[in-house]
Amino acid sequence: MSQPVMVALAALLVGLVKGGLGPAPGALLVPLLSTTMPVTEAVGVTLPMLMVGDWFALPVYWRKWDGQALRLMLPAAVVGVGMGVALLTTLPDDALRRVLGAFTLIVALYKLGSDTLKSLTYHPRTWHGWLAGWGSGFGSALANAGAPPVTAYLLLRGTAPTAFIATTVAFFLVVNLLKLPIFIATDVLDGPTLARTLWALPLIPLGVWLGKELVRRINQRKFEWLMLILLFWIGSSLLFG
């Protein structure tokens, strides 16, 4: 597919995630875009889309988040973002593609075993929040694939559904705001890259509407298996291709 088609598809995927179809479509963003552009550019292109999606979701979940979890995760996320950007801006593109492939497969494996987390006996520790925040900040900066650590941590905590969504929205809003000036300073996101993204931003609310419609109409389990197959296929192609 051509680069504009991939950018449009990425914007729709962001909308689908914010429309309620879960994080799996979001994990496809950078891997799909990286088939038509360098990984660093793909990471930069997706950041404005994710930030627009964050702002669409924030009013719905305002102040419904788990404040204690955020206070534990966000300071460590700052460290993770710094380390992720350092690798993103120093590794050659071939190496980044393999790292991206590994992250994509980790997301798929996490999704495959996420239901088990809900049934585990969990004894909370402060450092668990630090580790989740660091891992999500690192994955988000390196490949916009930061969902598994924070999601696993919140599942283990037994976070209620509304608080769960609100906490992830608030967490990644802060992380993405933190990434913005760093990406600009390191040329991961520059004027030409932003220009290639702006035209697709109106597709995000369309994706949100489509996501809400699909939630009511499709078999969620079958959709998740389709996402898993795509994640394994793309991740394997990037890692071993």
Side-chain angles (χ1 to χ4, degrees):
M1 292 186 189
S2 67
Q3 191 174 108
V5 171
M6 284 298 187
V7 171
L9 181 58
L12 285 172
L13 285 172
V14 170
L16 290 176
V17 172
K18 302 304 178 182
L21 283 178
L28 292 168
L29 287 171
V30 175
L32 283 174
L33 284 171
S34 68
T35 62
T36 61
M37 62 182 72
V39 174
T40 304
E41 187 177 342
V43 173
V45 163
T46 54
L47 181 59
M49 298 181 186
L50 292 167
M51 293 182 72
V52 170
D54 291 336
W55 286 109
F56 265 97
L58 187 64
V60 179
Y61 297 104
W62 182 254
R63 299 183 70 85
K64 296 176 182 177
W65 46 70
D66 182 336
Q68 183 185 28
L70 288 175
R71 285 190 293 272
L72 286 175
M73 293 188 295
L74 284 173
V78 175
V79 179
V81 167
M83 294 175 67
V85 172
L87 280 182
L88 179 67
T89 54
T90 55
L91 288 179
D93 193 65
D94 284 347
L96 281 173
R97 289 182 183 278
R98 284 172 172 73
V99 172
L100 178 59
F103 264 95
T104 306
L105 291 175
I106 288 169
V107 172
L109 290 171
Y110 158 75
K111 186 63 183 170
L112 200 59
S114 59
D115 290 341
T116 306
L117 293 175
K118 300 174 185 177
S119 61
L120 293 177
T121 301
Y122 175 62
H123 303 287
R125 298 288 186 272
T126 299
W127 65 269
H128 296 170
W130 299 342
L131 182 62
W134 174 84
S136 288
F138 180 80
S140 180
L142 185 61
N144 281 328
V150 67
T151 303
Y153 177 60
L154 293 176
L155 283 175
L156 287 170
R157 283 172 64 90
T159 308
T162 299
F164 179 96
I165 298 172
T167 305
T168 56
V169 167
F171 177 84
F172 285 108
L173 173 65
V174 174
V175 167
N176 288 334
L177 285 172
L178 177 65
K179 285 156 51 180
L180 181 61
I182 303 175
F183 277 17
I184 292 173
T186 55
D187 290 328
V188 173
L189 179 62
D190 54 20
T193 300
L194 185 60
R196 284 196 292 274
T197 305
L198 288 176
W199 68 269
L201 296 183
L203 293 173
I204 294 174
L206 174 62
V208 172
W209 172 81
L210 184 61
K212 290 179 179 178
E213 289 296 309
L214 287 173
V215 165
R216 295 192 293 111
R217 298 174 186 271
I218 68 170
N219 183 302
Q220 186 70 21
R221 195 65 178 171
K222 290 181 179 178
F223 175 80
E224 289 177 355
W225 275 106
L226 174 61
M227 291 295 102
L228 274 174
I229 292 168
L230 288 173
L231 286 169
F232 275 114
W233 172 56
I234 295 174
S236 300
S237 298
L238 288 167
L239 184 60
F240 304 112

